[in-house]
Amino acid sequence: MAPRRVNIGVVGLGRMGKRHVHTLVSRTPRANVVAVCTNLEHELEWARNNQDYKDFEIAVYDKYEDMLNHPSIEAVWVSTSTDVHAIQTKMGVQKGLHVMCEKPLSIHLEESQEVIDIADKHPNLKVMAAFSRRFDASYRDAAKKVLQERMIGKPYMIRAQTCDLLDTTGFFVRYATRNGGIFVDCAIHDIDLTLWYLDNPVPKACWATGTLQHHPELAESNDVDNAVGVVEYWGGKIAYYHCSRTQIHGHDVSTEVSGTEGKISVNLIPRANNVVVNDKRGMTHEVQEEYWQRFEYAFETEAREFIDSILTDGPVPVPLKTGQKVMEIARALQSALWSGEVSRWNEKGDLIESGERKMNGAMNGHAK
């Protein structure tokens, strides 16, 4: 008897969506992609002419509602822009489908809470926001060393960065108008790692600053292309986040965890491979150009474990409420950046002071 497989539809066929389809088709044995969907004409044309999609009999839809009605579909992979994550996730759950949604669930906390509330009403469905670094082998090894083996004593500080290759095509500027701002888009993974490595600390206060060095057009969206944020957590724990979209050398993501008895670092010197060139310049090596090259296998592990949660009726690897707390901190940092004010939480973790009112005004302009 053939092993049970989960029939999946993928919405969004940009770079991320296409890569998810490839991972699900070629690297996830218990997944079966039955449909894809996009409302962009050039993506539709590409999908309809894709020989692999024809070979695997993957249906191509131009309306999300139609894909949700595809015969035999059981789960949806949401790989669209952030501003439609929540509505597409809710529609999938209301249709009785499992949903894996790219991070974050929404750029608005109220909207992401609506997703959580709807998911809670359907406990038989697996609904998850993707936080891919939790599935990376190096980050998992670091977590084991920090949390289980206690190799660095008591962890108390995180220094993390998400720095992307400078984009000269105009893609990032267009994308930035829909992603909620630099901290929501870039720092969200680093915040998630902080909650993981520091054992779910409660935020106390945060502040941030930023600059525009390569993309002055972002000023119209109240955004920056480089930013630094600091979050103080109750209990003497601290996190420092560096976000950038303008790195010349390549995709540069790293994390340092400091503890009372040492320090652990992940990818402090990024490498594309183990090749080192020795010449008149000295000793040099190449760096990955973008996130997919760095986390390709993490996305594969994430897909397999999400599918396993469906097949075994087990818990999803990352609970939705974790994503909500990550988003709250990211929004508070964004608020601090745009308003110039410090955001504060009480010891219960309730946000009690922020520039949210000013941020909302900025977000209204951001969405126009």
Side-chain angles (χ1 to χ4, degrees), residues 16 20 77-79 85 100-105 129-130 299 302:
M16 196 68 180
H20 278 311
W77 223 268
V78 177
S79 301
H85 282 180
M100 164 69 88
C101 179
E102 271 305 309
K103 61 80 186 169
L105 288 172
F299 285 111
E302 178 183 66

Side-chain angles (χ1 to χ4, degrees), residues 21 65 137 162 176 213 279 296 304 314 320-321 349:
V21 173
E65 296 87 344
T162 295
Q213 294 297 319
D279 59 15
E296 181 178 358
R304 288 175 181 242
L320 286 178
K321 290 183 179 179

